[in-house]
Amino acid sequence: MLAWGDAGWGDEMARGALVTLAVAICSFAISLIIGTGTAAAKLSGFLPARLAADAYIVLMRGIPDLLIIYLLFFGGSMALMSVASVFGHTGYLELPIFATGAIAIGIASGAYTGEVIRGAFEAVPKGQIEAARACGMSGFLLFRRIQAPLALRYALPGLGNAWQVTLKETALISVIGLVEIMRQAAIASGSTQQPFTFYFVAAIAYLGLTLLSNRGFAAAEAYATRGVRRA
Amino acid sequence: MLDFALMAEAFPAILAGTGTTLKLVAGALLCGFFLAVPTALAADSRSRILRGTAAGYVLFFRGTPLLVQIFLIYYGLGQFEAVRASIFWPILREPWWCALLALSLNTGAYTGEIVRGGLQSVPAGQIEAARAAGMSGLLLYRRIIAPIALRQALPAYSNEVVSMIKATALASTITIMEITGIARTFISQTFKPIEIFLVAGAIYLVLNFFAAQLLRALERHLSPHRRPI
């Protein structure tokens, strides 16, 4: 059943797991970019930017990710078709599903990532910044040498959680047809009549990816806190 | 331009799905809570078997996507002849009960961790004082541990309630016509995704707003010591 090659679905499922990992990494990268922007907006003194960031966070916290995927995929495809019709194309067009899915999940989880990053920057002790200023650092140098490294240390546990949530959310991209592990499991169960087997394999793949990335984040945390004294 | 006539037409139709969404949320939260309390107690118990079972349950349901859990139950269980022959089959082949089961098991695992955190936050001094006053067993739980744990766990539980409201959207993947299911049907019929998204999104926002307000009121009610005099 799960044999490699033409006899079984082992290689297809493995490829599905790789697509899941790839789309999760892209989603998380997008969510980090959006999250950084959100955090910067919330920490800025510019009121409209703060309000926009707040509105974005409220929206993403309250609306199911599935709806956001539908909006981006169907809405984007409609927009693409109306642009194409200007150039005389009348057929059905749709957006690339991998990119659309990654962007949708990235937007949905960017609110969470943004709050993690903002919290981390706020946790940087004032004394550190004052000391850096006293040494003559300011602007980007202060950010690069003092604020960013410290904030990264504080943000790592939260970012680990955000990554796990993002990884699991990517399962939703299967509803628009991306052949990641969930979709692959659906295809395999359709032709073998063994849905439990394949969805269980998919579940184990998610668990494996989660546990592996937990280790990665634990190592990153150990590295980031190597200079911290422990009682 | 936005098609306001369509939005006006879609609003009552999608709103009609709110009942289904709320029933799923309420059912899952109720069943989930009854799973969560034994899970939390088992996770802190002295028996290694109980601890292992609780840890395995929590790991599986928190470590895998809800969509896998729903599909495992709805599509997966029918693979086994024993399940199809059992008395549970009339229930397990209905998408509604499968969705409710998956959501309950899922929230049970998350809530179990929240309850455990609440129980651990009860100061040892409080428990010792209660014992010194002669309370033990169920009385100790009812009068001292449960109220303090509930109060501590409530903020985290509010988040869980909001994520459950969002999570019910996944029930639409197994044909249940709640808010997202109806919205999806409208999108494929009208090809106006933006309008439908705005209507459905607004309904979810209102639901979450009320849920958050309700839980905040409960939090205030349970924390009289924090109220300004």
Side-chain angles (χ1 to χ4, degrees):
Chain A
M1 191 65 61
L2 289 166
W4 225 251
D6 290 338
W9 292 87
D11 51 336
E12 281 87 351
M13 291 299 279
R15 205 175 312 131
L18 281 181
V19 174
T20 288
L21 186 62
V23 81
I25 290 172
C26 293
S27 306
F28 193 58
I30 294 167
S31 128
L32 278 177
I33 294 167
I34 296 176
T36 309
T38 316
K42 279 201 80 161
L43 292 171
S44 77
F46 187 50
L47 186 66
R50 280 211 309 268
L51 289 178
D54 277 335
Y56 163 66
I57 290 167
V58 168
L59 284 179
M60 292 306 135
R61 275 208 185 137
I63 297 176
D65 298 1
L66 195 56
L67 265 184
I68 293 164
I69 292 179
Y70 286 151
L71 172 75
L72 249 69
F73 183 63
F74 295 112
S77 298
M78 298 312 293
L80 186 67
M81 275 187 273
S82 59
V83 171
S85 70
V86 174
F87 295 99
H89 189 285
T90 48
Y92 179 73
L93 288 173
E94 62 177 40
L95 292 178
I97 34 182
F98 186 98
T100 315
I103 291 170
I105 296 297
I107 291 176
S109 57
Y112 187 74
T113 321
E115 290 294 81
V116 170
I117 296 173
R118 180 179 66 95
F121 269 96
E122 284 177 341
V124 175
K126 265 216 175 74
Q128 298 270 358
I129 296 172
E130 282 164 11
R133 282 195 203 285
C135 292
M137 285 182 230
S138 68
F140 189 67
L141 190 68
L142 172 71
F143 176 82
R144 183 168 67 81
R145 283 223 189 121
I146 311 295
Q147 283 182 297
L150 280 175
L152 190 64
R153 176 191 292 172
Y154 301 133
L156 266 176
L159 290 180
N161 280 337
W163 157 253
Q164 273 187 31
V165 173
T166 309
L167 173 67
K168 288 187 286 167
E169 292 289 294
T170 59
L172 298 184
I173 306 178
S174 65
V175 301
I176 55 169
L178 180 69
V179 187
E180 37 68 88
I181 189 134
M182 283 299 285
R183 190 92 203 121
Q184 193 59 257
I187 296 167
S189 3
S191 82
T192 59
Q193 304 299 320
Q194 303 237 342
F196 193 90
T197 314
F198 286 103
Y199 286 122
F200 194 72
V201 169
I204 296 301
Y206 280 109
L207 265 183
L209 287 175
T210 303
L211 293 177
L212 260 177
S213 47
N214 269 354
R215 286 202 154 180
F217 271 96
E221 258 173 68
Y223 179 76
T225 56
R226 68 197 180 285
V228 180
R229 188 159 45 112
R230 282 198 183 77
Chain B
M1 244 339 258
L2 286 179
D3 185 346
F4 287 106
L6 172 69
M7 287 169 77
E9 187 199 331
F11 179 70
I14 296 177
L15 194 65
T18 311
T20 312
T21 293
L22 287 179
K23 261 189 268 175
L24 273 176
V25 172
L29 287 176
L30 192 72
C31 301
F33 188 76
F34 282 110
L35 280 169
V37 174
T39 304
L41 294 177
D44 280 338
S45 81
R46 251 168 266 150
S47 149
R48 197 188 254 180
I49 299 166
L50 282 180
R51 271 206 316 269
T53 313
Y57 165 61
V58 170
L59 177 70
F60 185 82
F61 282 92
R62 298 207 330 168
T64 61
L66 176 60
L67 195 65
V68 174
Q69 296 157 20
I70 292 178
F71 284 5
L72 265 177
I73 292 173
Y74 181 61
Y75 296 117
L77 289 182
Q79 177 182 326
F80 303 108
E81 184 54 44
V83 176
R84 272 179 285 145
S86 77
I87 49 162
F88 300 112
W89 185 237
I91 291 175
L92 288 176
R93 82 179 165 205
E94 291 295 327
W96 167 264
W97 294 110
C98 289
L100 188 62
L101 184 61
L103 287 167
S104 304
L105 285 167
N106 184 272
T107 187
Y110 282 93
T111 312
E113 287 296 281
I114 295 172
V115 171
R116 194 162 72 99
L119 289 175
Q120 278 175 346
S121 74
V122 179
Q126 301 267 1
I127 298 173
E128 282 164 13
R131 282 196 205 283
M135 287 183 230
S136 69
L138 205 63
L139 190 69
L140 174 67
Y141 261 96
R142 184 167 65 80
R143 283 223 190 123
I144 310 295
I145 299 180
I148 298 177
L150 182 69
R151 186 161 73 198
Q152 295 292 342
L154 211 53
Y157 191 62
S158 305
N159 285 336
E160 179 56 22
V161 171
V162 169
S163 49
M164 252 305 112
I165 294 177
K166 289 169 69 177
T168 54
L170 297 198
S172 68
T173 58
I174 53 169
T175 71
I176 289 175
M177 282 294 146
E178 39 65 75
I179 298 173
T180 303
I182 300 173
R184 172 80 178 79
T185 316
F186 257 98
I187 290 174
S188 43
Q189 280 168 359
T190 60
F191 295 108
K192 295 266 167 79
I194 296 168
E195 283 85 347
I196 304 301
F197 172 82
L198 288 176
V199 172
I203 296 176
Y204 275 113
L205 283 180
V206 170
L207 283 184
N208 280 316
F209 175 77
F210 279 117
Q213 289 299 316
L214 205 71
L215 285 155
R216 197 167 301 161
L218 186 63
E219 228 177 288
R220 258 201 305 275
H221 177 74
L222 289 175
S223 317
H225 60 296
R226 286 204 203 120
R227 264 178 240 148
I229 304 160

